[in-house]
Amino acid sequence: MSKIIYLDNAATTQLDENVFEEMKPYFVEHYGNPSSVYSIASESKKAIDIARERVANSIGAEVSEIYFTNGGTESDNWAIKGIAENYVNKGKHIITTKIEHHAVLHTCEYLEKQGYEITYLNVDEDGLVNIEELEKSIRPDTILISIMFANNEIGTIEPIKEIGEIAKKHNIIFHTDAVQAFGHVPIHVNEMNIDLLSASGHKVNGPKGIGFLYIRKNIKLKSFIHGGAQERQRRAGTENVPGIVGLGAAAKIACDNMEERAKHLIKQRDYLMEQIEKNVDYIRLNGHRTKRLPNNVNFCFRFIEGESLLISLDMEGICASSGSACTSGSLDPSHVLLAIGLPHEIAHGSLRLTLSHNTTKEELDFVVEQLKDIVNRLRAMSPLYEDFVKAQK
Amino acid sequence: MSKIIYLDNAATTQLDENVFEEMKPYFVEHYGNPSSVYSIASESKKAIDIARERVANSIGAEVSEIYFTNGGTESDNWAIKGIAENYVNKGKHIITTKIEHHAVLHTCEYLEKQGYEITYLNVDEDGLVNIEELEKSIRPDTILISIMFANNEIGTIEPIKEIGEIAKKHNIIFHTDAVQAFGHVPIHVNEMNIDLLSASGHKVNGPKGIGFLYIRKNIKLKSFIHGGAQERQRRAGTENVPGIVGLGAAAKIACDNMEERAKHLIKQRDYLMEQIEKNVDYIRLNGHRTKRLPNNVNFCFRFIEGESLLISLDMEGICASSGSACTSGSLDPSHVLLAIGLPHEIAHGSLRLTLSHNTTKEELDFVVEQLKDIVNRLRAMSPLYEDFVKAQK
Amino acid sequence: MYTEKVMDHFKNPRNMGEIEDASGIGTVGNAKCGDIMRVFLKIEGDVIEDVKFKTFGCGAAVATSSMATELVKGKTVKEAMAVTNKAVMEALDGLPPVKVHCSLLAEEAIHAALWDYAQKHNIEIDGLKEPKADIGEHDSFEEI
Amino acid sequence: MYTEKVMDHFKNPRNMGEIEDASGIGTVGNAKCGDIMRVFLKIEGDVIEDVKFKTFGCGAAVATSSMATELVKGKTVKEAMAVTNKAVMEALDGLPPVKVHCSLLAEEAIHAALWDYAQKHNIEIDGLKEPKADIGEHDSFEEI
Ligand SMILES: Cc1ncc(COP(=O)(O)O)c(C=O)c1O
Ligand SMILES: Cc1ncc(COP(=O)(O)O)c(C=O)c1O
């Protein structure tokens, strides 16, 4: 295997060299605990301030509304469990969707066991939430609407502004899991009426193990992780200074280059979709064709199973992902693919290709070529394809 | 300020150059998500396996009993809240001490609000827990004993083996916050009957933002952070690969060199204590004189306040810490110093000097010299000292 | 994730294909769970002269099908009956725990084809039971 | 954490010391909370001819004592009464929010010394109230 073509940028991204350069001094040199009194600690403190400002700027928030966490998962847990706990006197009803990331879904399921009631909204065949259904599901005891900004599997971007308006109109707190959207599409917490927003560093060429939760000023959200007085007494634990610095740098780079990168990526994405559709039959595009993340391509290939597709691509140096159960060791294929109405056997044959701004057209051409061969090979092996062909005759 | 003398290693430590070297490849080069199918992910997977083994070896645990977290605070939160939730059917009583870190104390206070009952054990004037008092406080509904391995302020090492025996005898789960002890003093979870153990990377020359929780095989501990299937479905969130690698490397280095470093540090520590006692009067050693962390020195200096001491030391390039309230912005001085029986005004004048294995005798001599002058200067400024001197006459 | 043997059998599956005039054909698994195996047997006398498979499924599913067919090829029916999922796994130098069910499926696919052969030829094979119509319900792996 | 001005007044406190034959002495704060300030005033005619302080407390406590004494030195009693904690903070280019109480303490220490002076000389100073015996109970900062 000579060259790697990495098309799994929704899973994690390569740390930007420039981001790493900004982080470096905070490992060995400026290691002071930012909470300390002495002056060498101020190096760390200043670095955190700058990072917080960069992050705040990237979503139109105030500096004091940004809280650093360990990643998107912690942010989701904190937002949802925190609101559930704090607003329990108002009610125990939460609205979310069927296509959230497990960080939201499993947190909601945990809350269900604690006596909360969760409405899991349906989505249409493109993965879009229905605004009317959302509004209808609001009850007097609804305390939170948590709907993801963009879906991590199929890339569909939800109508966040409209959802924010509904939430505001009904005076309900609105959380969005923006882990996939942050740094990739424009986000403005005020224009979109977002009260809480989760994001993760490593999805935007930042470091792993760092993320943030945006908490609107007026929102009462208690600590989720208790202990020291860090993060204005809301998130305890010694600050991960290099991580925070890296997140700040990554946020800045992503936002400064967003427009240009998105334009390029959309072109690449649409080219890849077109080429796959031209070269392989019996496939289905998953997710909305245009309301989708600039870097996300997701197809189901009928009669074949995702994992064997992934391994075959890997043999050619292509890194991708699948919503197939086999990759996770569980039985059912991705809940997202089932929620957009795919039958199990088709859902098992999904392939997600997520591009980076460095992906080249040559790489995409190579991928399509390989994909064509692999699909043919796997279909030749498939009893489902055999049955299908025989039935056609 | 020409040279910095860093004596705040209990707050955080300098990342070891060698540890950083081991981490480096996992930032930009091997950035693959370890949960992925393709082969480049196996680099990350292997690195995590090695780190897990190193950590397990360092406390005599099995590899499958180590769960990576974001740090000591998260580990403490997980252990205590997790046990509280899982064993609620057995009871709602938890035993801890008055001198725990806030990560434990504030978590326990949170649980009190949820209806749990917490016994906060007293400690003696050296900060030691009384085993008989511990045993007496055990009730049929006691579900957890959480006692720190070594105290972060005064350095006292608790009789962990004896506590473990009591816990075992009464069939109660035993958690220890070993954030300060890990890598500094020998720990063996089986010999000490420890069921859960928290530790943090940055306290042992490892990176910030990473820690672990040891969970004994038979302990039922649900997830605290819900989401993806990472860490054998117990701790969700994309793995912080460089952080994990760094923690593993730091654990190995700390344990390989523990004996030698501790011997050296104890000599240095005792020398520093002796010199301070010889050169400054009206002082009190905090913590047990011998049952203490090899690197911890803590004194109260009567008639002066800790923060002004710290700032004065900082002006001479010396980084230290204090249990004074002023450093934290709250009213009361350290709960630890109050728990060992110090009156408020004395507790306000504490100074913690925590050494590293690189601290030299010359540095210590310089510190003592400066300290002497500073204490004299601040006392000359102190109305309390004025009253004291007048009363002596 | 997989051993070299598994990867080899995935890359170069042995006995992949169909047998036109098969003595017995068995299909097990279901698309819902993401694994379907179909085994074709050509039995002459009491000997499995030829065997082919088709599989829809993950890497382990393909590899176990390939290995299972290898292990029964040329064997008598009785010998083939003795080829367990364990034997398949061992021959592949092991499988990840979450993939053990694939080896069971391979064993069952052979048995289903033998059952079909037995039905067609009105014979009874020692120890062979009627295959379940749907063996999709394999255990999910430990969830805490 | 602190401004340069604060650091300067901490390093080189102005007016630190005692006045043997002070016209008024005031002590405020308490050791429990970690801040005690004592102010000595030498008043001649209506003018503060000299002022000294002693302080047990944090960097801000020392700096605000130093600055407050500077601000009242040479002033009339009435002018000294007009020196507020805000003026002290401004003169120091600000204080961290958690340290604002130190500036209040400094204001109160001046007032307490003036009160002592007024008592001893049996005069009344406009707007001056008896100092609290213990002003330790300053507000803890916002806890969420
Ligand atoms: C939509 C979404 N939410 C949450 C997460 C969790 O983020 P992390 O793994 O960084 O904690 C992810 C990625 O894994 C995601 O794609
Ligand atoms: C005893 C003890 N427990 C817990 C912690 C919390 O660790 P961390 O800040 O790494 O989360 C610390 C250090 O801050 C500590 O000293």
Side-chain angles (χ1 to χ4, degrees), chain A residues 46-78:
Chain A
K46 261 182 257 161
I48 291 180
D49 288 347
I50 292 170
R52 204 186 301 277
E53 199 178 321
R54 287 171 161 185
V55 170
N57 288 343
S58 70
I59 57 168
E62 285 176 31
V63 168
S64 61
E65 296 175 318
I66 303 298
Y67 295 83
F68 293 114
T69 67
N70 168 245
T73 300
E74 184 195 324
S75 299
D76 285 339
N77 274 258
W78 184 9

Short mmCIF file of all heavy atoms in Angstrom, two decimals, chain A residues 46-78:
data_model
loop_
_atom_site.label_atom_id
_atom_site.label_comp_id
_atom_site.label_asym_id
_atom_site.label_seq_id
_atom_site.Cartn_x
_atom_site.Cartn_y
_atom_site.Cartn_z
N LYS A 46 -3.10 33.49 29.63
CA LYS A 46 -3.26 34.32 28.43
C LYS A 46 -3.61 33.44 27.23
O LYS A 46 -4.46 33.77 26.41
CB LYS A 46 -1.96 35.08 28.14
CG LYS A 46 -2.00 36.52 28.64
CD LYS A 46 -0.69 37.25 28.29
CE LYS A 46 0.22 37.39 29.49
NZ LYS A 46 1.63 37.65 29.18
N ALA A 47 -2.94 32.32 27.13
CA ALA A 47 -3.17 31.42 26.00
C ALA A 47 -4.62 30.94 25.99
O ALA A 47 -5.25 30.84 24.93
CB ALA A 47 -2.21 30.23 26.07
N ILE A 48 -5.13 30.65 27.17
CA ILE A 48 -6.52 30.20 27.26
C ILE A 48 -7.47 31.33 26.88
O ILE A 48 -8.46 31.12 26.17
CB ILE A 48 -6.82 29.67 28.67
CG1 ILE A 48 -6.06 28.35 28.91
CG2 ILE A 48 -8.31 29.46 28.88
CD1 ILE A 48 -6.29 27.74 30.27
N ASP A 49 -7.15 32.53 27.33
CA ASP A 49 -8.00 33.68 26.99
C ASP A 49 -8.09 33.87 25.47
O ASP A 49 -9.17 34.10 24.93
CB ASP A 49 -7.44 34.96 27.62
CG ASP A 49 -7.64 34.98 29.13
OD1 ASP A 49 -8.42 34.13 29.64
OD2 ASP A 49 -7.01 35.81 29.81
N ILE A 50 -6.94 33.77 24.83
CA ILE A 50 -6.92 33.94 23.38
C ILE A 50 -7.75 32.85 22.70
O ILE A 50 -8.57 33.11 21.82
CB ILE A 50 -5.47 33.92 22.84
CG1 ILE A 50 -4.74 35.18 23.32
CG2 ILE A 50 -5.45 33.83 21.32
CD1 ILE A 50 -3.24 35.16 23.05
N ALA A 51 -7.57 31.63 23.16
CA ALA A 51 -8.32 30.51 22.56
C ALA A 51 -9.82 30.71 22.76
O ALA A 51 -10.62 30.48 21.85
CB ALA A 51 -7.86 29.20 23.18
N ARG A 52 -10.17 31.14 23.95
CA ARG A 52 -11.60 31.32 24.23
C ARG A 52 -12.19 32.40 23.31
O ARG A 52 -13.31 32.26 22.83
CB ARG A 52 -11.79 31.69 25.70
CG ARG A 52 -13.18 31.32 26.25
CD ARG A 52 -13.39 31.83 27.68
NE ARG A 52 -12.43 31.33 28.63
CZ ARG A 52 -12.51 30.15 29.23
NH1 ARG A 52 -13.52 29.37 28.97
NH2 ARG A 52 -11.57 29.75 30.08
N GLU A 53 -11.41 33.43 23.09
CA GLU A 53 -11.88 34.50 22.22
C GLU A 53 -12.04 33.99 20.78
O GLU A 53 -13.04 34.29 20.11
CB GLU A 53 -10.89 35.65 22.27
CG GLU A 53 -11.50 36.96 21.79
CD GLU A 53 -10.49 38.10 21.90
OE1 GLU A 53 -9.73 38.13 22.89
OE2 GLU A 53 -10.47 38.93 20.97
N ARG A 54 -11.08 33.22 20.35
CA ARG A 54 -11.17 32.69 18.98
C ARG A 54 -12.40 31.80 18.82
O ARG A 54 -13.10 31.88 17.81
CB ARG A 54 -9.92 31.87 18.68
CG ARG A 54 -8.69 32.74 18.46
CD ARG A 54 -7.46 31.88 18.38
NE ARG A 54 -6.35 32.60 17.75
CZ ARG A 54 -5.18 32.04 17.46
NH1 ARG A 54 -4.96 30.76 17.74
NH2 ARG A 54 -4.23 32.74 16.90
N VAL A 55 -12.63 30.98 19.80
CA VAL A 55 -13.79 30.08 19.72
C VAL A 55 -15.07 30.91 19.75
O VAL A 55 -15.99 30.69 18.96
CB VAL A 55 -13.76 29.06 20.87
CG1 VAL A 55 -15.07 28.29 20.94
CG2 VAL A 55 -12.59 28.09 20.68
N ALA A 56 -15.11 31.88 20.67
CA ALA A 56 -16.31 32.71 20.78
C ALA A 56 -16.59 33.41 19.45
O ALA A 56 -17.72 33.40 18.95
CB ALA A 56 -16.14 33.73 21.91
N ASN A 57 -15.55 33.99 18.87
CA ASN A 57 -15.72 34.68 17.59
C ASN A 57 -16.25 33.76 16.50
O ASN A 57 -16.99 34.18 15.63
CB ASN A 57 -14.38 35.26 17.12
CG ASN A 57 -13.96 36.45 17.96
OD1 ASN A 57 -14.78 37.03 18.68
ND2 ASN A 57 -12.69 36.80 17.90
N SER A 58 -15.86 32.53 16.56
CA SER A 58 -16.22 31.61 15.47
C SER A 58 -17.70 31.28 15.44
O SER A 58 -18.19 30.77 14.45
CB SER A 58 -15.38 30.33 15.57
OG SER A 58 -15.78 29.58 16.69
N ILE A 59 -18.41 31.54 16.54
CA ILE A 59 -19.86 31.27 16.54
C ILE A 59 -20.66 32.50 16.98
O ILE A 59 -21.84 32.39 17.32
CB ILE A 59 -20.23 30.06 17.44
CG1 ILE A 59 -19.75 30.28 18.88
CG2 ILE A 59 -19.65 28.76 16.87
CD1 ILE A 59 -20.33 29.27 19.87
N GLY A 60 -20.02 33.64 17.00
CA GLY A 60 -20.73 34.87 17.35
C GLY A 60 -21.15 34.92 18.81
O GLY A 60 -22.17 35.53 19.16
N ALA A 61 -20.38 34.27 19.67
CA ALA A 61 -20.73 34.24 21.10
C ALA A 61 -19.86 35.23 21.86
O ALA A 61 -18.92 35.81 21.33
CB ALA A 61 -20.53 32.83 21.65
N GLU A 62 -20.18 35.41 23.14
CA GLU A 62 -19.30 36.18 24.00
C GLU A 62 -18.29 35.25 24.63
O GLU A 62 -18.55 34.06 24.82
CB GLU A 62 -20.12 36.89 25.08
CG GLU A 62 -20.87 38.08 24.50
CD GLU A 62 -21.77 38.74 25.53
OE1 GLU A 62 -21.43 38.70 26.73
OE2 GLU A 62 -22.81 39.28 25.12
N VAL A 63 -17.16 35.84 24.98
CA VAL A 63 -16.07 35.05 25.55
C VAL A 63 -16.54 34.28 26.79
O VAL A 63 -16.18 33.12 27.00
CB VAL A 63 -14.91 36.00 25.90
CG1 VAL A 63 -13.89 35.30 26.76
CG2 VAL A 63 -14.26 36.52 24.62
N SER A 64 -17.36 34.94 27.59
CA SER A 64 -17.78 34.33 28.86
C SER A 64 -18.82 33.23 28.66
O SER A 64 -19.28 32.63 29.62
CB SER A 64 -18.35 35.40 29.78
OG SER A 64 -19.48 35.98 29.15
N GLU A 65 -19.18 32.98 27.42
CA GLU A 65 -20.19 31.94 27.17
C GLU A 65 -19.55 30.62 26.68
O GLU A 65 -20.26 29.67 26.38
CB GLU A 65 -21.20 32.43 26.13
CG GLU A 65 -22.02 33.63 26.62
CD GLU A 65 -22.95 34.21 25.55
OE1 GLU A 65 -22.53 34.32 24.39
OE2 GLU A 65 -24.10 34.55 25.89
N ILE A 66 -18.23 30.60 26.62
CA ILE A 66 -17.53 29.42 26.11
C ILE A 66 -16.92 28.64 27.28
O ILE A 66 -16.17 29.19 28.08
CB ILE A 66 -16.39 29.83 25.15
CG1 ILE A 66 -16.92 30.67 23.98
CG2 ILE A 66 -15.62 28.60 24.64
CD1 ILE A 66 -17.93 29.97 23.09
N TYR A 67 -17.22 27.36 27.36
CA TYR A 67 -16.69 26.51 28.41
C TYR A 67 -15.97 25.33 27.77
O TYR A 67 -16.58 24.58 27.01
CB TYR A 67 -17.82 26.01 29.32
CG TYR A 67 -18.46 27.16 30.06
CD1 TYR A 67 -19.45 27.94 29.47
CD2 TYR A 67 -18.03 27.50 31.34
CE1 TYR A 67 -20.00 29.03 30.13
CE2 TYR A 67 -18.58 28.59 32.01
CZ TYR A 67 -19.56 29.34 31.40
OH TYR A 67 -20.08 30.42 32.06
N PHE A 68 -14.71 25.18 28.10
CA PHE A 68 -13.96 24.09 27.49
C PHE A 68 -14.28 22.77 28.17
O PHE A 68 -14.40 22.70 29.39
CB PHE A 68 -12.46 24.39 27.55
CG PHE A 68 -12.07 25.54 26.69
CD1 PHE A 68 -11.60 26.72 27.24
CD2 PHE A 68 -12.23 25.47 25.31
CE1 PHE A 68 -11.26 27.81 26.43
CE2 PHE A 68 -11.90 26.56 24.49
CZ PHE A 68 -11.42 27.72 25.06
N THR A 69 -14.42 21.75 27.35
CA THR A 69 -14.69 20.41 27.85
C THR A 69 -13.69 19.45 27.21
O THR A 69 -12.79 19.87 26.48
CB THR A 69 -16.10 19.94 27.45
OG1 THR A 69 -16.14 19.77 26.02
CG2 THR A 69 -17.16 20.92 27.88
N ASN A 70 -13.92 18.19 27.46
CA ASN A 70 -13.04 17.16 26.94
C ASN A 70 -13.37 16.74 25.51
O ASN A 70 -12.61 16.04 24.86
CB ASN A 70 -13.16 15.98 27.90
CG ASN A 70 -12.56 14.73 27.39
OD1 ASN A 70 -13.28 13.76 27.14
ND2 ASN A 70 -11.26 14.74 27.17
N GLY A 71 -14.52 17.19 25.01
CA GLY A 71 -14.89 16.82 23.65
C GLY A 71 -16.40 16.94 23.45
O GLY A 71 -17.14 17.32 24.36
N GLY A 72 -16.81 16.62 22.25
CA GLY A 72 -18.22 16.74 21.92
C GLY A 72 -19.11 15.89 22.80
O GLY A 72 -20.20 16.31 23.19
N THR A 73 -18.65 14.70 23.13
CA THR A 73 -19.46 13.80 23.93
C THR A 73 -19.72 14.40 25.31
O THR A 73 -20.86 14.40 25.79
CB THR A 73 -18.75 12.45 24.06
OG1 THR A 73 -18.58 11.90 22.75
CG2 THR A 73 -19.56 11.48 24.90
N GLU A 74 -18.68 14.90 25.94
CA GLU A 74 -18.88 15.50 27.26
C GLU A 74 -19.81 16.71 27.16
O GLU A 74 -20.70 16.89 28.00
CB GLU A 74 -17.55 15.93 27.88
CG GLU A 74 -17.74 16.48 29.30
CD GLU A 74 -16.54 17.24 29.82
OE1 GLU A 74 -15.39 16.85 29.52
OE2 GLU A 74 -16.74 18.23 30.55
N SER A 75 -19.62 17.52 26.12
CA SER A 75 -20.48 18.69 25.95
C SER A 75 -21.95 18.28 25.83
O SER A 75 -22.82 18.88 26.46
CB SER A 75 -20.04 19.48 24.71
OG SER A 75 -18.72 19.93 24.85
N ASP A 76 -22.20 17.26 25.03
CA ASP A 76 -23.58 16.78 24.88
C ASP A 76 -24.14 16.28 26.21
O ASP A 76 -25.28 16.60 26.59
CB ASP A 76 -23.64 15.64 23.84
CG ASP A 76 -23.51 16.14 22.41
OD1 ASP A 76 -23.77 17.33 22.17
OD2 ASP A 76 -23.14 15.33 21.53
N ASN A 77 -23.35 15.49 26.91
CA ASN A 77 -23.79 14.96 28.20
C ASN A 77 -24.11 16.09 29.17
O ASN A 77 -25.14 16.09 29.85
CB ASN A 77 -22.71 14.07 28.81
CG ASN A 77 -22.78 12.63 28.32
OD1 ASN A 77 -23.27 11.75 29.03
ND2 ASN A 77 -22.33 12.37 27.11
N TRP A 78 -23.19 17.04 29.22
CA TRP A 78 -23.35 18.16 30.15
C TRP A 78 -24.61 18.95 29.83
O TRP A 78 -25.45 19.21 30.71
CB TRP A 78 -22.11 19.06 30.07
CG TRP A 78 -22.09 20.20 31.03
CD1 TRP A 78 -22.96 20.43 32.07
CD2 TRP A 78 -21.15 21.29 31.04
NE1 TRP A 78 -22.59 21.59 32.72
CE2 TRP A 78 -21.51 22.13 32.12
CE3 TRP A 78 -20.04 21.61 30.26
CZ2 TRP A 78 -20.78 23.30 32.43
CZ3 TRP A 78 -19.32 22.77 30.56
CH2 TRP A 78 -19.69 23.60 31.63
#
